[in-house]
Amino acid sequence: MALLPAPLEQLILGLERLPGIGPKTASRLAFYFLKAPEEYASDLAEALKAVKSGTAFCQTCFHIMDASRTECQICADEKRDKRTICVVEDSLDVLALEKTVGYFGQYHVLHGVLSPIEGIGPDDIRIYELEMRIKTEPVEEVIVATNPSMEGDATALYIRQRLEKYPVKLTRLARGLPVGGDLEYADQSTLLRALAGRQSL
Ligand SMILES: [Zn+2]
């Protein structure tokens, strides 16, 4: 016999699946919603629904965008440098680099990194699409800005192998970013320095 009403149980199970949330926190959050004003819970439920239906991925760079757009604001911006593509792991890294106000090129969001342990291979992230862009766009430099982690480095090396045959300059963000750290958590000046000091890959 279940100790809790089914809807509450359901909510706890759903919250438990969130990154960084264990069973205890999930239960605490669920009880918080139980006590919170009706409006708060329904607004949040609406936002959760809209986050899927109201967003899409740019079909050029795979950055997240409003579902009503046909390409993201960065790709659509004529003033941005089409000769440079900065390759990042996810959309949050795009935001981090945009905040530095020191990068004016394009992006390419991989949506992950290679990870044999987790069974993530080249076909599971947007590497093929990157290669297609190198073939068809006037790209001169590819800055690989995957995180300075084991997987990030392995992904950078794989990208180098994969793109070696094309006449593009391949660079990697300079060291100085905390090892194992996440691009999205680096402060703006560290990120700017890493960008300015990028080295050939
Ligand atoms: Zn885009």
Side-chain angles (χ1 to χ4, degrees):
M1 196 177 69
L3 289 171
L4 293 172
L8 192 57
E9 192 98 40
Q10 202 74 27
L11 179 59
I12 293 172
L13 285 176
L15 291 167
E16 259 185 48
R17 291 175 59 187
L18 295 173
I21 304 283
K24 264 191 188 158
T25 312
S27 304
R28 257 210 323 270
L29 288 172
F31 276 94
Y32 172 79
F33 282 120
L34 205 57
K35 281 185 266 174
E38 175 88 40
E39 204 181 71
Y40 176 57
S42 53
D43 284 356
L44 190 69
E46 274 310 307
L48 280 173
K49 265 196 248 166
V51 79
K52 278 283 188 186
S53 61
T55 58
F57 293 112
C58 172
Q59 286 307 295
T60 303
C61 73
F62 299 96
H63 184 34
I64 190 95
M65 63 176 189
D66 212 284
S68 60
R69 300 187 68 97
T70 51
E71 79 185 327
C72 79
Q73 272 164 308
I74 297 169
C75 287
D77 188 346
E78 287 300 322
K79 289 196 286 290
R80 299 208 55 135
D81 187 354
K82 306 282 177 196
R83 295 167 302 178
T84 312
I85 291 184
C86 183
V87 180
V88 294
E89 293 182 21
D90 59 51
S91 275
L92 286 172
D93 299 329
V94 173
L95 300 187
L97 283 156
E98 284 300 285
K99 266 196 248 156
T100 67
V101 230
Y103 177 69
F104 308 102
Q106 311 290 301
Y107 290 98
H108 189 85
V109 184
L110 294 172
H111 290 283
V113 272
L114 299 179
S115 171
I117 295 167
E118 287 174 53
I120 302 168
D123 295 337
D124 300 312
I125 57 178
R126 301 284 184 181
I127 287 182
Y128 170 78
E129 290 83 353
L130 173 65
E131 191 175 351
M132 289 303 111
R133 291 183 71 185
I134 307 306
K135 277 186 173 175
T136 55
E137 294 178 28
V139 183
E140 290 172 14
E141 180 180 358
V142 175
I143 305 169
V144 182
T146 48
N147 290 326
S149 61
M150 237 161 69
E151 291 86 357
D153 286 342
T155 307
L157 288 177
Y158 179 82
I159 290 174
R160 185 181 74 184
Q161 281 172 14
R162 185 92 174 238
L163 300 183
E164 242 166 12
K165 53 181 179 283
Y166 302 102
V168 287
K169 189 168 146 195
L170 289 163
T171 54
R172 178 103 171 95
L173 288 190
R175 295 286 159 181
L177 289 169
V179 174
D182 235 333
L183 226 62
E184 60 179 282
Y185 300 127
D187 65 274
Q188 293 173 25
S189 60
T190 306
L191 211 47
L192 261 182
R193 252 183 293 129
L195 197 58
R198 61 187 185 267
Q199 286 146 1
S200 85
L201 176 66

